[in-house]
Amino acid sequence: MPADLIAPSILSANFAKLGEEVDNVLASGADIVHFDVMDNHYVPNLTIGPLVCEALRKHGVTAPIDVHLMVKPVDRIIPDFAKAGATYITFHPEASEHVDRTLQLIRDSGCKSGLVFNPATPLTYLDYVLEKVDMILLMSVNPGFGGQSFIPSALDKLREVREIIDDSGLDIRLEIDGGVKVDNIAEIKAAGADTFVSGSGLFGYGRDSDPNRYDSIVGEMRRALAGVDR
Ligand SMILES: O=C(CO)[C@H](O)[C@H](O)COP(=O)(O)O
Ligand SMILES: [Fe+2]
């Protein structure tokens, strides 16, 4: 069974001291850094690019960096993120002209590849490309902003994807993104997720981040996860 990975979304971190924030949340026991890239075109918000990813690597971050691309077009930014130190690069299939080519480009760039599904995006995008996918990311909010509420239909979708992955016998992570908190993380794992993005639930969206709380929140998430089977 794949290990549970906690993936703080730095979208809700204090950007004025990002390196410190990432160090603190990783020291609290989080596993991978979720890096939200928004282009004010595919989604109505604008965030960070390869320079910031590279800066985190230069700062000394060695944990995997999970780049969630919410951009259109997709392909031209992939080599830049690979050079900047991305570990995973995931993208929304409807933002790519050629999904198979984009997945291949990510792997050829030396990164792990993933497809992201919005709440209303059908899973048929997985047909024919499953063998080129290292991660499936299900959105449990509509993309563009942190701090939104978990959309419950994502639980059924998780169960569906868990079955697809298990039936395939492939080594594919199943990540959930949006509205994940201490109080719902257990039922999300029970539905099949193994990688849990949490932004506002960890850093605190719209209020001051408090590094002293990261230990206790990551600890509470771990305890909640330990109590359920996938
Ligand atoms: O991709 C995202 C938004 O498009 C973010 O990763 C996501 O919303 C995480 O933030 P929160 O845990 O606050 O929902
Ligand atoms: Fe994300």
Side-chain angles (χ1 to χ4, degrees):
M1 201 198 292
D4 299 325
L5 298 183
I6 295 177
S9 159
I10 58 174
L11 186 61
S12 293
N14 180 345
F15 278 109
K17 42 180 183 180
L18 188 57
E20 215 179 298
E21 287 270 77
V22 171
D23 290 344
N24 288 336
V25 83
L26 289 171
S28 296
D31 302 288
I32 71 178
V33 179
H34 185 79
F35 192 104
D36 288 304
V37 184
M38 304 185 186
D39 67 349
N40 192 35
H41 172 68
Y42 177 66
V43 289
N45 200 354
L46 187 64
T47 59
I48 45 179
L51 281 177
V52 177
C53 185
E54 191 182 359
L56 287 177
R57 287 298 187 212
K58 285 186 175 154
H59 175 72
V61 173
T62 54
I65 297 182
D66 167 31
V67 173
H68 173 193
L69 292 180
M70 287 162 273
V71 306
K72 187 177 178 174
V74 179
D75 291 6
R76 71 177 178 222
I77 201 77
I78 287 170
D80 294 350
F81 268 109
K83 270 188 227 119
T87 310
Y88 287 91
I89 300 180
T90 65
F91 65 98
H92 291 247
E94 67 275 37
S96 165
E97 297 289 339
H98 306 285
V99 172
D100 179 277
R101 177 181 288 156
T102 304
L103 288 167
Q104 192 62 51
L105 176 61
I106 294 170
R107 284 194 172 173
D108 288 348
S109 305
C111 297
K112 293 183 178 176
S113 61
L115 287 181
V116 191
F117 295 83
N118 289 329
T121 306
L123 295 173
T124 47
Y125 278 109
L126 289 172
D127 294 351
Y128 314 110
V129 296
L130 205 55
E131 299 208 337
K132 292 189 174 175
V133 170
D134 298 299
M135 179 180 287
I136 297 169
L137 168 47
L138 296 190
M139 295 299 299
S140 38
V141 297
N142 287 293
F145 302 94
Q148 304 180 76
S149 298
F150 186 88
I151 296 174
S153 63
L155 294 172
D156 281 338
K157 212 169 180 182
L158 276 171
R159 284 185 268 270
E160 254 183 90
V161 177
R162 173 47 62 197
E163 215 174 301
I164 292 170
I165 292 173
D166 289 350
D167 288 350
S168 76
L170 296 165
D171 181 16
I172 300 174
R173 295 211 71 90
L174 177 48
E175 185 174 46
I176 185 83
D177 185 6
V180 178
K181 315 261 190 245
V182 169
D183 59 8
N184 63 6
I185 200 166
E187 64 173 333
I188 292 169
K189 175 179 176 179
D194 55 46
T195 306
F196 307 87
V197 176
S198 184
S200 53
L202 249 169
F203 290 109
Y205 187 78
R207 59 178 162 78
D208 281 346
S209 298
D210 177 4
N212 297 320
R213 296 178 63 242
Y214 302 163
D215 278 347
S216 63
I217 297 174
V218 172
E220 282 177 57
M221 285 181 170
R222 287 265 177 241
R223 276 191 291 284
L225 290 169
V228 274
D229 288 329
R230 186 177 300 112

